[in-house]
Each structure stands twice: as C-alpha cells, then as structure tokens.
Amino acid sequence: WNEIIELFRAGMPLRKHRCRFKSYERCFKASEAVDCLHELLGSNQNFGPEVTRDQTVKLLKKFLKNHVIEDIKGRWGKEDFEDDGHLYRFPPSSPLKSYPKKSSCGKEVIKFPDWNEPKAGTSQEHILVKSITMNSEMWYKRHSIAIGEVPACKLVFRRELTQTNIEEIWKSMTLSRLQKVLGLDSLDEVLNTKLVNSKHIVQNVYNVNKQGIVTLEDKTKELPHWILSAMKCLANWPSCSDLKQPTYSGFERDVFKTIVDYFGQIKEPLLTFHFFDVFVSVLGLLQKPGKAVEALQISCLLLPPENRKRLQLLVRMMARISLNQDLPPLSESVRTRTLMVQTFSRCILCSKDEIDLDELLAAKLVSFLMDNYQEILSVPSALKSSIEDHVVHLQRVQIKYAGADSDATLPPPSFCDQISTDEFEYQRATGSQEPLAALLEEIVMNKEISVKNKKKKLKQFQKSYPEVYRVRFPTPETEAVLFPEKTKQKPPILMWALKKPFQPFHRTRSFRM
C-alpha cells in the first residue's frame, strides 16, 4: 500500500490543465493516472505485467476513497473514479505512516547433512556405540574370543553413498512407513510410486526455516509479495501495524476477496491430482487421530516444495482467522470457520473429474487439517531419525564374522514385496473402499439434506463407485426402503354421478310469459 503510493506520487507527472474556462495547476487527468499507475505496477517486482488496466482503476478508486488523491475541488471519500478526462490532484498532506524499523538478523540456512565427511575433531573414542540385544550367536562370538578361540573375521568397507542414493533411501523408507500407517498391503492401489520425486522429500525435510516453513530454492515459485502481505494481515489481525494498512470500513473483506481470487484461479489443487487417492484413504483413519496425523505428515512430505509451502501458509492463515475473535465477520450469513472450509476446500483437495462428492471429502480433510495443522505440516521426527540412523549405518565400517550373513546392529529396512495379480485385485477391491463406504453411509444417514438432493448425490456415487454402491444396495428393494413412496388418496366419487348415466344434451323449448 505505502510502497505503491510513494511510487505513484513520485512518478505521476503534474502539469497545468484547463476545465470549463478555468486553469488548475499541478493536477492530472484520470486517464493519465491510469496510464502512469498501470506502468508502475507492471514494472514492480511485487506485482508484474499480469496486472490489468481494470485492476489499476479499482486501485485508484481505493486511493480516492482513502484521500490518496482528490478531485480539483477537494472532494474525496467515494469510489467514483473512472478512466476518463476528469481532473485530480494530490492532497497537501500525505496519507503515509512512518515505517517501523526492524532489527536486522541473518537468515539461518539449514544444510542437508553430509554423511560422507566425518565431523571435525571427532576421534574413535567419541563415536557413539548403540546398545544391542545379545543373542546366542553374538554371545558365542564374544565368549570364544574371551577364551582365546578367535573366529575368522574381516572388515567390510561399505561403498560411498551418493546424494542420489540417499534420496532413494528416503523415498523407499518413507513410502514403506506410509504403507504401514495406512494399513495397506500395497501402495499401488492409491499411488503410482514411480511419480514420487525423491528430491521433493529431502527438500521438504531439510530446507525449512525456524518456523518449519519450506524455503524454496527456485524463488520464481514463491507466492507474490502482495498475496503474502494480505495473508499476513488477516492472520495477525489486528496486530499488523507494521504493514501500515488503511482503516476504511470493509478493508478486511477486500483483503480476503483478494486472497480468495488468487487461490481460486490455480489450475491444480495444492495436494495435487496425483495424490488425491492417498489423502482420501487417510479419511478412513480419522477415527484414530494419532494414526491420521502421522499419515498426513508423511503424505505431505511427498508434495512438491512449492505446494507444501503454500499449503502451510494457507492452512495456518485459515486456522488463525477461525479462532480470531477480534477480526470483523467476513460474511453476513456464514460462520467464519465454515466460510474458511467452504472457500478453500476445492483449492486444497479435489479430483480431476470434479464430482460433487469431492466437496464432502475435501471439507472433512480440511477441517482436520485446520485443527491439527501445526503437527501435520511439521517434519515427522521419528521417521527422520530412523532414516538418518540407517544411512549412517550403511556408511559405517562393519566387522563381519565367518558364517554370518549380516550384522545385528540394525535391522534392514522393510521394502514393498511383489504380489500376484489376483492378490492385488483383491486388495484394490477391499482396502481403499472403507472410507468410500463410510462416505456413502454418511450420505444415507444425513437427515439435513433434502430427498431430492440425497437422490442426486446417491446417483453420482453409484456412477463413480458402482462396486461400493452395490455392496450397500445389492437389490432395488434395499434402495427403495430408503425412499418409501407416499400413498396418494384418491378423491371420493360423487354420489350423483353414480345415480344417472351420462345423457346427451337435449334442446328444450323456452316458455314465454
């Protein structure tokens, strides 16, 4: 706001104009103001060339309402600015506020740990040794050494792990943990694992700031500055004096509409079309919040870093707005929390087919996200520790005894096992249908929606998931029980109609008096 006002006041040419046989000094035409401000916005890094002329006119309307400009007679306060030849000028006093000074602090960049290089100053004496469970084979080895019978052994130098190797380990162990949490025998029914980018997982874990928000390597994928300012304004309302926001009535609704318009025009939801089935399968775990939180934690690590960062910022803003009692209502008819869920659900989760059932699924997931966003959108520490320990274990020099295939210091990671086609079809038909069956039952038992709307949703469900629908309604009779037909009462037969049969019309003579 202040930056654009300063640029506009400094860049707008002022000169002498005539209007109705009278001259006015240091003023400008409305069309000239639109030309100048449109050019300034287009060349500004916070806005860019996508700003339209109509948007520039809307901003000048706000300027006129908030006394950034006034007409040549000193009138202001209304949004009646038009792209025409009317004359305007700057008021004598500037509406700007002084900029608060922020303390300078260096950014802390958390680098990806390099396991290949030993830490400086470390010696053999300070290497951590994990306590291990003593089994019979290991007892025999140590006992034989104690009594002088030394078995044959050798040092096994592990090959050096490249960055690509480490990224693949992260992908393999992350997907393995996700499969276990979801309780699936295979992830193939909900996810094409070949499309999971291992680099995204590593970046989402290690490239984060102090608040846990992802930092992007490609700065062109960052949110525009003006959207970040708008989101920060509503998230911290009213403690946003450093943003120097104007105080006109309805300002917060204008800011909210700006955010809604931006996220409403994105082509793909933040959770992406590819991961839609994964997040839908998490809905079946909502009865166990701990499991659902861990499943969402791991699933969100698979997202592209720019999507994860936008999701973190958006959900955090939604949660803060919903709990903020000082923020004026953003809608006259809908509660703030309901408004957040209804407005942003589709830009967070929806399928490529865009069926109406997606709204119910997305609303459920977004509500759970808002309630647990701090934990869900953080890096799962247990998973991170286990993977880092496994990488260190692979790079450590091992002592291998004769006859022992592997050491017992750490169990090997579990990977996906190949299954037969018949078993896969059985898992696909049963494993992922539990949340869909729960959704169908919710539609059936919902008494708040009308019969007409319920029939419409059931018909859409039957078309999208015929197998699940057939289990719930195996015969037409079971479906008919849900909508019992109302018996129509026939109108009573008039008695006079039964007394005389129908007789044709006979013309009669008229009597004259």
Side-chain angles (χ1 to χ4, degrees):
W1 178 264
N2 271 21
E3 180 184 0
I4 292 303
I5 292 176
E6 288 178 341
L7 291 174
F8 182 50
R9 288 176 68 95
M12 183 66 219
L14 304 178
R15 55 191 180 87
K16 183 178 180 180
H17 287 83
R18 292 182 61 85
C19 179
R20 297 181 179 178
F21 307 104
K22 190 175 180 179
S23 298
Y24 295 92
E25 300 288 342
R26 296 183 59 78
C27 59
F28 51 86
K29 292 183 180 180
S31 57
E32 295 173 346
V34 177
D35 293 337
C36 176
L37 184 57
H38 186 238
E39 184 179 354
L40 288 174
L41 294 175
S43 59
N44 188 280
Q45 61 179 356
N46 295 327
F47 294 90
E50 65 270 11
V51 177
T52 64
R53 190 175 181 88
D54 290 337
Q55 291 174 328
T56 307
V57 173
K58 291 180 181 179
L59 181 56
L60 285 166
K61 288 178 182 285
K62 300 294 182 184
F63 282 0
L64 181 59
K65 182 177 181 180
N66 293 278
H67 206 194
V68 178
I69 59 176
E70 62 183 17
D71 67 5
I72 53 175
K73 295 184 179 180
R75 294 173 297 192
W76 58 278
K78 297 182 179 180
E79 297 188 11
D80 53 358
F81 182 92
E82 299 295 339
D83 190 358
D84 52 23
H86 281 75
L87 297 180
Y88 293 90
R89 66 190 181 194
F90 293 115
S93 59
S94 171
L96 300 179
K97 298 180 181 179
S98 58
Y99 286 96
K101 295 182 179 179
K102 296 184 178 180
S103 59
S104 58
C105 57
K107 294 184 178 179
E108 180 183 357
V109 180
I110 303 177
K111 296 183 178 180
F112 181 76
D114 189 358
W115 287 289
N116 295 324
E117 299 180 3
K119 294 183 179 179
T122 58
S123 64
Q124 192 73 17
E125 299 175 355
H126 297 88
I127 295 179
L128 289 175
V129 179
K130 290 198 170 187
S131 59
I132 57 177
T133 305
M134 185 72 69
N135 56 28
S136 58
E137 182 182 0
M138 295 189 67
W139 182 90
Y140 171 76
K141 293 173 184 175
R142 295 193 177 186
H143 179 68
S144 61
I145 293 174
I147 64 176
E149 182 184 343
V150 181
C153 64
K154 62 178 179 178
L155 291 178
V156 179
F157 293 91
R158 303 297 177 95
R159 65 184 180 87
E160 183 180 355
L161 295 179
T162 65
Q163 184 70 14
T164 303
N165 298 144
I166 294 174
E167 289 171 354
E168 288 302 317
I169 292 172
W170 267 95
K171 175 181 175 179
S172 175
M173 296 186 68
T174 300
L175 293 179
S176 177
R177 182 59 188 169
L178 178 61
Q179 176 182 332
K180 184 176 181 180
V181 175
L182 292 178
L184 301 176
D185 295 323
S186 172
L187 286 177
D188 292 338
E189 56 188 289
V190 295
L191 177 66
N192 184 355
T193 56
K194 294 181 180 179
L195 299 180
V196 176
N197 193 325
S198 58
K199 293 183 181 293
H200 291 170
I201 301 175
V202 176
Q203 290 174 13
N204 289 333
V205 170
Y206 291 104
N207 294 356
V208 294
N209 59 17
K210 292 181 179 180
Q211 290 75 35
I213 306 297
V214 177
T215 57
L216 303 182
E217 297 177 352
D218 187 357
K219 299 303 179 183
T220 61
K221 296 182 179 180
E222 294 277 5
L223 279 173
H225 174 73
W226 51 278
I227 283 293
L228 285 173
S229 298
M231 296 174 71
K232 184 178 180 181
C233 170
L234 292 186
N236 300 323
W237 188 279
S239 303
C240 51
S241 58
D242 62 323
L243 298 176
K244 307 166 291 303
Q245 303 297 347
T247 57
Y248 66 85
S249 177
F251 169 73
E252 64 282 347
R253 294 192 179 188
D254 286 345
V255 174
F256 182 67
K257 186 178 184 301
T258 302
I259 300 172
V260 173
D261 291 343
Y262 177 82
F263 282 98
Q265 51 85 31
I266 60 177
K267 297 180 180 179
E268 187 176 12
L270 297 179
L271 299 183
T272 73
F273 293 135
H274 174 58
F275 297 123
F276 175 78
D277 290 334
V278 177
F279 287 100
V280 168
S281 63
V282 177
L283 293 175
L285 301 175
L286 294 186
Q287 305 298 330
K288 303 175 182 177
K291 285 283 187 182
V293 167
E294 185 181 2
L296 287 174
Q297 267 188 332
I298 300 173
S299 300
C300 289
L301 285 181
L302 309 180
L303 297 173
E306 59 271 17
N307 287 44
R308 180 177 170 88
K309 180 171 186 177
R310 295 184 181 199
L311 181 68
Q312 289 174 318
L313 296 174
L314 179 61
V315 176
R316 184 177 67 173
M317 181 204 73
M318 293 166 59
R320 290 185 178 181
I321 290 177
S322 301
L323 299 175
N324 193 347
Q325 301 294 331
D326 298 326
L327 182 67
L330 299 176
S331 174
E332 299 293 342
S333 57
V334 183
R335 290 174 56 249
T336 304
R337 178 182 173 87
T338 306
L339 179 65
M340 294 297 108
V341 175
Q342 292 179 349
T343 304
F344 295 109
S345 290
R346 182 162 286 274
C347 72
I348 293 178
L349 178 70
C350 72
S351 66
K352 217 167 188 177
D353 300 331
E354 293 188 0
I355 58 177
D356 292 343
L357 293 172
D358 294 349
E359 298 178 6
L360 297 173
L361 298 173
K364 265 192 168 185
L365 189 73
V366 171
S367 297
F368 189 80
L369 263 175
M370 289 174 58
D371 294 335
N372 305 275
Y373 77 95
Q374 290 182 331
E375 193 173 0
I376 290 174
L377 296 177
S378 63
V379 177
S381 56
L383 176 67
K384 180 182 176 184
S385 299
S386 65
I387 297 177
E388 289 179 348
D389 289 345
H390 181 66
V391 172
V392 172
H393 166 70
L394 292 178
Q395 293 186 325
R396 185 182 299 149
V397 177
Q398 305 293 333
I399 299 177
K400 186 175 181 181
Y401 291 92
D405 295 333
S406 61
D407 56 280
T409 55
L410 270 181
S414 57
F415 297 93
C416 301
D417 297 325
Q418 187 174 3
I419 59 176
S420 64
T421 305
D422 295 337
E423 189 176 355
F424 167 72
E425 291 298 330
Y426 173 76
Q427 293 175 7
R428 185 178 65 85
T430 58
S432 63
Q433 292 180 358
E434 292 182 4
L436 295 175
L439 175 63
L440 176 59
E441 194 65 27
E442 183 177 338
I443 297 174
V444 172
M445 302 304 294
N446 193 343
K447 298 181 180 180
E448 296 182 1
I449 58 178
S450 63
V451 175
K452 181 179 179 182
N453 196 16
K454 183 179 291 188
K455 287 183 177 180
K456 178 183 176 183
K457 290 184 179 296
L458 288 175
K459 187 174 181 181
Q460 291 171 342
F461 194 101
Q462 183 182 17
K463 182 179 179 181
S464 303
Y465 309 103
E467 296 178 359
V468 182
Y469 191 87
R470 197 179 303 115
V471 173
R472 178 62 175 81
F473 300 106
T475 61
E477 289 75 12
T478 56
E479 186 178 7
V481 174
L482 190 61
F483 304 105
E485 296 185 0
K486 297 182 180 179
T487 56
K488 297 182 179 180
Q489 295 182 353
K490 296 183 179 180
I493 302 175
L494 298 178
M495 296 303 296
W496 63 267
L498 297 176
K499 291 180 179 179
K500 295 182 180 181
F502 176 77
Q503 296 179 356
F505 175 75
H506 295 282
R507 185 171 184 180
T508 59
R509 296 181 180 179
S510 60
F511 295 92
R512 296 182 180 176
M513 298 300 293

